[in-house]
Amino acid sequence: DQQVKQNSPSLSVQEGRISILNCDYTNSMFDYFLWYKKYPAEGPTFLISISSIKDKNEDGRFTVFLNKSAKHLSLHIVPSQPGDSAVYFCAASAGGSNYKLTFGKGTLLTVNP
Amino acid sequence: KAGVTQTPRYLIKTRGQQVTLSCSPISGHRSVSWYQQTPGQGLQFLFEYFSETQRNKGNFPGRFSGRQFSNSRSEMNVSTLELGDSALYLCASSLDSGGAMDTQYFGPGTRLTVL
């Protein structure tokens, strides 16, 4: 049973435009959500996180939106840059401990120059 | 500050053998978690160690085990290797300050191939 789902395996965007990556979850106990970026042959790199007490968190070009009623979160990248091309993982944790992360299967973002 | 390091980076073993992977966390980080990444299942949580004790465990068989040393370095062991154990094994460390949510920082992983 996949508790965190990223339904789009891939996304292609033009440089300078907005990239929107989506993530759905089923476990209502999840209270902390994170996005990681992964390049080939490297480990995931932390991007941005959001607690369930918020509905938006911004960090530079990256914004994460959380809709608890829909059990949905999204990552917006504006403007998209070719260096953003990577696999993006959505992750969630429950119960105040982020040491056990449940990951989605990832979305491959390609930003075309 | 140096990041999370994992050794070896690549490993080839045969079925039935056992393997030990090593992880050195970021200096000062006290929690170490292990994940398995496969094309079919994605990233799955194996276990987490803090103060030399396993604090959280995922849904993996007992063939997968780990330990943490007093300097927070961690090892994971897989016994009686199966073909399906071929994967990228990732280690992540976090501060565990006991306050706000900590971020997990990942190492580059160990690519294990079982023949």
Side-chain angles (χ1 to χ4, degrees), chain B residues 60-74:
Chain B
F60 278 81
R63 298 186 298 107
F64 292 82
S65 63
R67 59 177 175 168
Q68 186 181 34
F69 302 94
S70 57
N71 62 358
S72 293
R73 192 177 70 84
S74 176

Side-chain angles (χ1 to χ4, degrees), chain A residues 12-24:
Chain A
S12 185
V13 169
Q14 283 300 119
E15 181 179 4
R17 305 295 290 268
I18 183 172
S19 294
I20 300 177
L21 296 103
N22 294 302
C23 178
D24 296 296

Side-chain angles (χ1 to χ4, degrees), chain A:
Chain A
D1 175 34
Q2 206 178 339
Q3 298 184 62
V4 177
K5 298 179 184 178
Q6 294 177 255
N7 291 319
S8 298
S10 63
L11 175 68
S12 185
V13 169
Q14 283 300 119
E15 181 179 4
R17 305 295 290 268
I18 183 172
S19 294
I20 300 177
L21 296 103
N22 294 302
C23 178
D24 296 296
Y25 62 95
T26 58
N27 188 341
S28 56
M29 298 301 292
F30 286 147
D31 57 7
Y32 191 61
F33 305 89
L34 309 91
W35 285 94
Y36 283 84
K37 177 171 74 172
K38 188 179 185 300
Y39 294 117
E42 294 183 14
T45 302
F46 170 74
L47 269 178
I48 192 168
S49 62
I50 188 166
S51 163
S52 60
I53 63 173
K54 294 186 173 182
D55 53 21
K56 178 183 173 181
N57 189 25
E58 247 178 298
D59 185 1
R61 296 185 299 114
F62 302 91
T63 303
V64 57
F65 296 92
L66 175 62
N67 182 334
K68 288 190 291 293
S69 60
K71 293 192 176 66
H72 176 83
L73 62 155
S74 60
L75 174 68
H76 292 208
I77 306 173
V78 184
S80 301
Q81 300 172 354
D84 296 329
S85 298
V87 177
Y88 288 77
F89 290 96
C90 168
S93 66
S97 166
N98 69 327
Y99 310 115
K100 179 178 178 177
L101 294 176
T102 300
F103 282 85
K105 294 199 174 181
T107 297
L108 173 62
L109 173 66
T110 303
V111 180
N112 302 302

